[in-house]
Amino acid sequence: MPETSPKGLTRLAFGGDYNPEQWPESVWQDDVRLMREAGVTMVSVGIFSWALLEPSPGEYDFGWLDRVIGLLHDHGIRVDLGTPTVAPPVWFYREHPDALPVTPEGVRYEFGSRAAICHSNADYRAAAANITTRLAERYGDHPALAMWHVHNEYGVPVSACYCDSCAAHFRRWLETTYGTVEAVNKAWGTAFWGQRYASFEDVNPPRATPTVGNPGQALDYKRFADATMRENFRAERDILHRLAPGVPVTTNFMTALSQCDSVDYWAWGREVDIVTNDHYLITDGRRTHVNLAMAADLTRSVAAGAPWILLEHSTSGVNWQPRNPAKAPGQMARNSLGHVARGSEGAMFFQWRQSRRGAEKFHSAMVPHGGTDTRVWREVVELGASLDSLGAIRGTRTEADVAVLWDWHSWWAQNLDWRPSEDADPRERADAFYEALYDRHLTVDFAHPEADLSRYPLVVVPALYLMTEAAGNNLREYVANGGTLVVSYFSGIVDEHDAVHEGAYPGALRDVLGLTVEEFSPLLQGGSVRLTGPDGSEFAGDVWTEFVVPRGAETVWTYADGLTAGHPAVTRHRLGEGTAWYVSTRLGPEGLDTLLGRAAEDAAIAPRADLPHDVEVVRRSGETGSYLFAINHTTTDAKVPLETSGTELLTGERAAGRLAVPAGAVRVVRLDG
């Protein structure tokens, strides 16, 4: 069986994408010398190197890669070896132009970027299998090999192709999934608008149509595109497992909701030997450290709670956003250790040495254009020493307080055309609820709606428009057995085929919430409503309202104005041993905090008012002990209470009572006992 951690790596992973092919060999010796100076333990190699490894069909040049891997091995640096199948060479496209993907409008992309791949193309699949086989045969038993890195960032920038090859593949996928075309017609509701199909041969991808097409077809095509990429990953993975037994295989995810929306990571997490992730700060004015924490929690959850690896992030600014600010002094370490706190077994970067040419030459790197006499380099060296001092945390697991339910299929379905309001954004609600939990200093696990939730005192549902009957039953059982549930609007509405559940809204959640919704009443752009409580409290909502009818639930807050004035806005329902809350409008931060505070009381989660705002405290524990991470994102010094004394690992000092965490700094305490 393959390892579930990088083979031969005895320390936390620290390094980055190493692209020596961009540089003369005279630079390579300097690279490994600097890697040793910085404390680098592992680098990713060969991810975009297909054109160099196979410069023409059937002709191979592995000599340069032999020398690179040998040099790294001689200096004690482990290798995450890529299969370069994200970037086929130009000769491949010249011979197989139909391997370039086609848009829904029928436009075929050109060569000259990356990931321009039709994943249904048989010639691409054969060529990818061939280069993967060659690499595995040559390097599968190399002593430097720590793990395999298949492809790169599946789903970005192209996940779906709409060519004739994909059409044929889609038909085969539908036949395997549904069995008969009659079952497809039923699932998609093709009786509407006369869309009925007589045979599978009639079905095409959801290409451009005069107006909105069939939503069931569009949803299934997203599933098909994701499954097709996963087929190709499995094909490469299985070659590597066969030819290099015992070496783990991964591919780098992009779990942050701000970065990739086309991949079902619950499914992908079951396919890799080690979950790895790439994360980049979205500099749109938001609190970037909250997005980082959310992505790390989501990645850990995809890994089923097991340790994972941050395989890419940036030392400073990136190059692909409208505005790309540098990271502040110390922010690189805070970002890196924030991921480690939430389960990563290290922190790696794109890339080692900053490129002089190409599309990403202004993307920051571990060795900047300015070389070693730079702030970035000095912080890289300091971070390497910090990670080296944290080796004892390897194998420990992050402790979570609450669960947030998330489903990529529901996200895909809700974002299809012709929904009641384009302002009802599932990602926005997920971000908002997560931020409210973060500000209450609660560590979050994400969970699939059908997962076992029994260990969580509080479960939050920010947006689950699509919910299976099994998921609804799961939540009903969770609450009846003593759990506390919080559900936001427009959840539980449709089944897995985007068909509205029979009966009144909210379909799959009627019983557990103890209510029905007679009608949605989205607000016009800029509109808002007031909510009032019996204690005189008042909050604001916007985007969405509903005509809620309690069927056992009690009204907590009521709409004070607008079309739904006098109707319940927030309800609470006792079911069995537990409680289910429902909020039928989009609450702002103050309202969300109050709502979650009330729900936390029901869940017997004690408030953590003694922790400063924007100072996050996270725990990892395991056989080697319990570790408290305190990360100060503010510009003032902070004090964090300790339940027991311990040793601070970054400074070596003893800590007791209240831990001093300087402004912008990180402290990691190995707790006694």
Side-chain angles (χ1 to χ4, degrees), residues 42-187:
M42 184 169 72
V43 294
S44 301
V45 177
I47 296 168
F48 296 100
S49 300
W50 194 344
L52 293 177
L53 295 170
E54 190 178 5
S56 59
E59 296 184 11
Y60 304 96
D61 179 8
F62 293 107
W64 68 272
L65 187 56
D66 291 345
R67 295 191 295 277
V68 168
I69 295 177
L71 186 62
L72 292 166
H73 177 60
D74 290 344
H75 287 79
I77 298 165
R78 308 297 294 162
V79 172
D80 167 37
L81 184 55
T83 67
T85 51
V86 70
V90 67
W91 61 256
F92 172 79
Y93 289 119
R94 187 171 60 246
E95 292 191 355
H96 307 289
D98 55 345
L100 288 162
V102 174
T103 70
E105 296 75 24
V107 176
R108 190 178 295 278
Y109 287 114
E110 288 287 347
F111 172 82
S113 181
R114 67 172 188 176
I117 296 164
C118 167
H119 282 276
S120 294
N121 184 270
D123 295 311
Y124 167 76
R125 290 182 167 204
N130 177 67
I131 190 64
T132 299
T133 299
R134 297 281 179 163
L135 285 164
E137 289 174 340
R138 192 173 190 92
Y139 301 109
D141 60 356
H142 197 290
L145 184 62
M147 64 181 183
W148 292 103
H149 180 308
V150 170
H151 205 267
N152 185 72
E153 296 178 346
Y154 279 99
V156 178
V158 178
S159 60
C161 171
Y162 297 80
C163 71
D164 289 342
S165 293
C166 289
H169 192 185
F170 184 44
R171 294 176 196 124
R172 295 193 298 273
W173 182 87
L174 289 172
E175 188 166 10
T176 299
T177 302
Y178 288 100
T180 66
V181 73
E182 288 77 12
V184 173
N185 283 315
K186 180 179 179 181

Side-chain angles (χ1 to χ4, degrees), residues 224-280:
F224 159 75
D226 177 59
T228 301
M229 291 187 292
R230 206 158 57 246
E231 283 178 19
N232 286 355
F233 167 77
R234 282 198 298 265
E236 293 188 44
R237 179 203 64 192
D238 292 349
I239 291 170
L240 298 170
H241 279 170
R242 176 170 54 85
L243 296 177
V247 180
V249 180
T250 191
T251 185
N252 46 338
F253 296 167
M254 297 189 76
T255 62
L257 306 186
S258 54
Q259 291 176 221
C260 183
D261 62 359
S262 59
V263 174
D264 175 7
Y265 286 116
W266 293 127
W268 282 80
R270 296 188 292 269
E271 301 289 355
V272 296
D273 300 321
I274 305 171
V275 167
T276 64
N277 195 52
D278 297 351
H279 181 263
Y280 294 98

